[in-house]
Amino acid sequence: MSPECDCRERHLRRKIVLTGGPGAGKTAVLEMIRPSLCEHVVIVPESAGIIFKGGFPRGDTAGVRRATQRAIYHVQCELEEAMTAQGAEVMLCDRGAVDGFAYWPGPDDFWQTVGTTLEDVLRRYDAVIHLRVPDVEHGYGYENPLRTESAAEAKLIDDRILEAWAGHPRRVVIGPATDFIEKARQTLAVLRRELPGCCRDHATRAMNSVEEAGHV
């Protein structure tokens, strides 16, 4: 259960994306900070994980990859709509709807296929935090059972995600780091600036917990 916040004001709705290639550490960062986020901040889970855990087929053929990215895009958008309908004020999204463009195999245009434009989808989000993927020497791992990419493949995907979000006016890129605690601390510092004032103390406590973990 999220810690209670003393503030009872209604906040302007905000959507903040945490993105990056496979193995960048975004899901691990979210799990580290989840217990400290106040009730105004809701984590929107990664839509790819939802559909794959539900049995959606995985494959390397272009047809399967196109079907997968269409499904992920629409699930992502509907997840955000559902959270809005439940009254979420600040959404912290584990990936955003732009990410699918980086995985799209073509040959047709991804945005035409899903019935929108890149510009319209970028406007869905207020801020983007991109965690870059480390290589094998700097900590790339395979702990996630849903991850199938090699370090080289993850780096290519990460580069495409970086390019896909390039047009967003409020994006922060956090470089790869051997010290994951430092990467998490940097991510929290950026996130704290994006939260409503009353929620920042909770993020500060999360930063302190991460730093304490780094000294254990």
Side-chain angles (χ1 to χ4, degrees), residues 99-195:
D99 283 47
F101 177 72
Y103 290 83
W104 184 249
D108 45 340
D109 180 76
F110 176 70
W111 302 114
Q112 286 185 345
T113 299
V114 296
T116 188
T117 66
L118 171 60
E119 292 72 23
D120 281 346
V121 179
L122 287 172
R123 282 193 288 268
R124 292 177 64 93
Y125 303 100
D126 298 283
V128 180
I129 305 171
H130 184 126
L131 276 60
R132 296 305 311 266
V133 169
D135 56 24
V136 173
E137 289 76 18
H138 294 86
Y140 182 79
Y142 300 88
E143 291 81 4
N144 187 336
L146 296 176
R147 186 180 304 140
T148 60
E149 300 86 0
S150 67
E153 290 168 335
K155 177 64 167 56
L156 288 174
I157 293 170
D158 191 45
D159 289 343
R160 291 198 291 267
I161 293 172
L162 190 72
E163 181 181 359
W165 286 98
H168 197 281
R170 196 171 180 84
R171 179 181 67 164
V172 175
V173 179
I174 296 176
T178 304
D179 183 351
F180 178 73
I181 296 297
E182 173 59 20
K183 193 174 188 180
R185 189 197 65 77
Q186 292 179 31
T187 304
L188 276 167
V190 175
L191 175 60
R192 184 181 181 278
R193 295 196 297 267
E194 297 296 337
L195 295 177

